[in-house]
Amino acid sequence: MDRTSEFFATIESLRSRAQHHLPSDKRRLLSPIEQQQQQPGNGTPHGQHQKSEFTLIASMIAKDIHATAAKLTKLARLAKRKTLFDDRPVEISDIAKINKQIAQLQTQVRDQNTSGGRQQAGLAPLSKQAIEHNSNVVVLLQSRLAAQTSTFKDVLEVRTENMKATKDRREQFMFSAQQQASAFSSDSPLYNLDRRATSSSSPPKDVLSLDLTTPSQLQQQQQMEQVQLQDSNNQYLESRSTAVESIESTLHELGGIFQQLAQMVSEQREMVQRIDNNTEDIESNVAGAQTELLKYYSYVSSNRWLMVKVFAVIISSAVTLSVLS
Amino acid sequence: MAFMAQTIAERTQPGQRQSIEESNYVGHVYARAEGVAGVVIADKEYPTRVAFGLLNKVLDEFTTRYPQGTIAGASSSTGDSDFSYPELQQYIVTYQDPKQGDTIMKLQRELDETKIVLHKTIDSVLARGDKLESLIERSDALSSQSRMFYKTAKKQNACCIIS
């Protein structure tokens, strides 16, 4: 008892009650084609639920594509705003996540569609035209999806450029107040440690990052990650550069100290010269005095006989004086 | 701890450095492009730059010693015996004091010591200046005294020739 056809028919009736959108034209296209060569037993209901299934899926895909287009336009408008400050990162991240979900849905549905197309070929031998039409619809949806992803790519590129520009402007502002820059750089290891600690444990909620995992958007993901990588590399390199700068300043101080030393020593050179002159004078004076004394000593030692005579005269005078008194 | 190290290492992209805080410790991880990653677990006081310098050095040596082919060929089940790296112990010992291990910090320390020595030198030079000034005064006094001595001697010779 093969009641699968009845089961499908009931499902399709429910579905057709639920949705009444775009599939109308596709149904019209498909139904005359399929009605031509259906088996007599299954006939129109089978063809109808076949075509309606396919058309319903196609309609869902088309709706999603339309919704993504709308969200993409919103994203593009937001990305173009180019503000220095708070450019609604929350909204953008939400929209990006929704976009990603939609893209995932689209890929899933696309795969379902291709498998559904194969199933239909297995279920009932459709005409060549029907198969061609299915493939055309699938190709159309794929092309629309590709266009969406390319626009998404452009928007993301614009967003990264804007973020880089904001970063540069921020750096300019920081650089103008150098004290701020030095204070920021001294705090930066701690600040960046905290940032990295929080970011690495959970998916990054930074302004700089969007949660992208779709396979067609690997390039943006790499760009974002490169920005993050450069950031973490920059922190390490900045810390190294600050250390080397401190070493350079120490060396500079050392050079100044050496110069001071040389100046003091050169001042003391004059003092030393004065001392030298003084000692030379002393030496000459003392040498002259020594010669004088030597002369006197030789005079005295050679003059002893005269001294005896002088003494004799004195003694005789002293004696006469005493005799007289 | 090994588990945390492994998870951190797996999470980092090649060519990226990260520091992850965990209870009392911080894990610094550096993944090189060749597929080798190193993790340094230290407390919060340890300077980040020293940790990454150590990681750089260790990974450089490791990649030079075991070229990339052998690393790629070895599966995770080979264990530590194939890639023996005894210098790690020594590194760990030397890097206990970050000022001792890291080259930049060593430079800084030596420069500071040199600066201290130079300060002492300048103080001693100032003291030398003081001593030189006193020496000048004393040599002046001496020279005047010696001149007086010379004059007296000369006068003694020239004047009346008493016994």
Side-chain angles (χ1 to χ4, degrees):
Chain A
M1 285 279 289
D2 188 15
R3 301 185 65 145
T4 52
S5 56
E6 294 178 20
F7 178 66
F8 276 121
T10 46
I11 288 173
E12 281 323 303
S13 58
L14 285 171
R15 263 195 207 161
S16 56
R17 275 182 224 150
Q19 296 183 6
H20 297 284
H21 289 279
L22 290 163
S24 57
D25 50 350
K26 291 202 179 108
R27 238 181 254 152
R28 263 184 266 126
L29 277 173
L30 279 174
S31 53
I33 294 166
E34 294 186 19
Q35 274 171 7
Q36 283 172 13
Q37 46 82 32
Q38 280 307 318
Q39 292 175 9
N42 294 333
T44 37
H46 191 56
Q48 270 181 1
H49 81 247
Q50 258 190 355
K51 67 169 166 24
S52 53
E53 197 179 306
F54 179 70
T55 50
L56 282 170
I57 293 171
S59 68
M60 269 166 49
I61 296 170
K63 243 198 307 174
D64 291 335
I65 288 177
H66 202 64
T68 51
K71 290 204 174 97
L72 261 182
T73 50
K74 265 195 231 169
L75 240 193
R77 248 187 292 135
L78 280 172
K80 276 182 201 161
R81 285 192 64 169
K82 262 196 186 183
T83 51
L84 253 185
F85 33 86
D86 175 60
D87 47 355
R88 298 193 220 157
V90 179
E91 281 188 25
I92 290 174
S93 56
D94 284 341
I95 288 170
K97 279 176 196 163
I98 292 165
N99 253 336
K100 174 203 71 172
Q101 288 165 7
I102 288 165
Q104 278 176 355
L105 278 171
Q106 280 172 353
T107 49
Q108 287 171 13
V109 170
R110 200 183 356 139
D111 296 335
Q112 274 180 10
N113 219 352
T114 50
S115 64
R118 278 180 230 133
Q119 271 181 9
Q120 286 167 19
L123 271 176
L126 296 174
S127 65
K128 285 184 200 166
Q129 290 174 351
I131 293 169
E132 271 181 30
H133 179 72
N134 291 351
S135 58
N136 285 342
V137 165
V138 168
V139 162
L140 176 71
L141 292 172
Q142 281 175 356
S143 59
R144 273 201 212 162
L145 185 66
Q148 297 278 310
T149 50
S150 63
T151 46
F152 196 42
K153 251 190 237 176
D154 296 334
V155 164
L156 278 173
E157 279 174 9
V158 165
R159 177 123 178 78
T160 49
E161 279 169 21
N162 289 348
M163 282 195 295
K164 277 181 198 165
T166 52
K167 253 181 108 176
D168 291 336
R169 270 177 232 148
R170 248 183 247 158
E171 277 172 17
Q172 279 178 10
F173 284 136
M174 301 296 279
F175 191 69
S176 63
Q178 278 186 3
Q179 289 180 356
Q180 279 185 9
S182 61
F184 190 68
S185 64
S186 65
D187 292 335
S188 60
L190 297 172
Y191 170 71
N192 292 324
L193 257 182
D194 287 340
R195 220 197 211 184
R196 267 184 279 163
T198 54
S199 67
S200 55
S201 54
S202 62
K205 292 170 189 169
D206 241 350
V207 174
L208 294 176
S209 66
L210 294 173
D211 197 10
L212 305 169
T213 52
T214 58
S216 62
Q217 297 158 357
L218 271 175
Q219 290 180 2
Q220 275 77 40
Q221 191 184 7
Q222 283 174 4
Q223 273 184 12
M224 294 305 188
E225 281 197 0
Q226 272 178 11
V227 168
Q228 243 187 346
L229 282 177
Q230 283 169 10
D231 213 13
S232 61
N233 264 343
N234 277 346
Q235 290 149 9
Y236 173 59
L237 295 173
E238 272 173 16
S239 63
R240 274 177 87 95
S241 73
T242 46
V244 170
E245 275 174 15
S246 68
I247 285 180
E248 185 194 343
S249 64
T250 318
L251 272 176
H252 196 65
E253 285 174 20
L254 275 179
I257 288 174
F258 270 112
Q259 271 188 351
Q260 277 184 10
L261 195 64
Q263 190 197 354
M264 289 163 84
V265 169
S266 71
E267 280 173 5
Q268 290 174 355
R269 187 162 55 113
E270 296 176 18
M271 299 161 78
V272 167
Q273 280 174 352
R274 271 174 67 185
I275 291 174
D276 273 342
N277 289 335
N278 281 341
T279 45
E280 283 170 9
D281 291 340
I282 286 169
E283 204 213 332
S284 60
N285 286 335
V286 164
Q290 191 196 9
T291 48
E292 296 291 326
L293 282 179
L294 272 176
K295 272 197 281 185
Y296 186 68
Y297 176 67
S298 64
Y299 169 71
V300 161
S301 59
S302 67
N303 235 357
R304 202 172 292 261
W305 189 241
L306 279 170
M307 213 191 317
V308 165
K309 283 185 194 167
V310 165
F311 266 122
V313 165
I314 290 170
I315 287 167
S316 62
S317 62
V319 166
T320 52
L321 274 173
S322 65
V323 166
L324 277 174
S325 66
Chain B
M1 206 184 288
F3 170 69
M4 182 179 111
Q6 197 172 350
T7 44
I8 290 173
E10 280 165 9
R11 268 199 195 163
T12 43
Q13 303 283 330
Q16 192 187 4
R17 300 176 173 93
Q18 271 192 2
S19 296
I20 294 168
E21 216 174 280
E22 176 98 20
S23 65
N24 257 343
Y25 300 99
V26 182
H28 307 281
V29 59
Y30 177 43
R32 288 185 81 106
E34 285 97 14
V36 187
V39 181
V40 164
I41 298 176
D43 60 355
K44 291 179 191 173
E45 316 262 313
Y46 203 77
T48 317
R49 209 192 58 248
V50 177
F52 281 125
L54 167 62
L55 277 173
N56 255 335
K57 207 161 94 170
V58 165
L59 283 172
D60 277 337
E61 264 196 53
F62 196 75
T63 45
T64 49
R65 185 182 290 206
Y66 301 107
Q68 193 189 351
T70 57
I71 293 176
S75 62
S76 60
S77 59
T78 49
D80 291 332
S81 58
D82 279 359
F83 301 108
S84 66
Y85 194 39
E87 279 82 358
L88 261 180
Q89 284 298 320
Q90 194 189 342
Y91 277 145
I92 290 172
V93 166
T94 47
Y95 270 83
Q96 280 306 310
D97 182 15
K99 301 240 183 310
Q100 192 61 39
D102 190 27
T103 44
I104 293 179
M105 285 194 155
K106 256 197 278 190
L107 263 182
Q108 186 75 30
R109 200 163 49 96
E110 284 181 13
L111 282 174
D112 289 336
E113 286 172 4
T114 312
K115 211 161 74 157
I116 290 174
V117 165
L118 278 177
H119 280 313
K120 283 189 202 161
T121 312
I122 283 189
D123 289 338
S124 57
V125 164
L126 282 172
R128 177 172 177 260
D130 281 339
K131 286 178 189 166
L132 279 176
E133 279 179 14
S134 72
L135 266 181
I136 283 177
E137 290 169 21
R138 280 156 70 171
S139 66
D140 279 336
L142 250 187
S143 109
S144 55
Q145 279 178 5
S146 70
R147 206 179 306 147
M148 292 304 296
F149 178 42
Y150 177 61
K151 280 184 190 166
T152 321
K154 207 164 164 189
K155 210 194 299 184
Q156 195 182 34
N157 259 354
C159 195
C160 49
I161 301 168
I162 316 171
S163 62

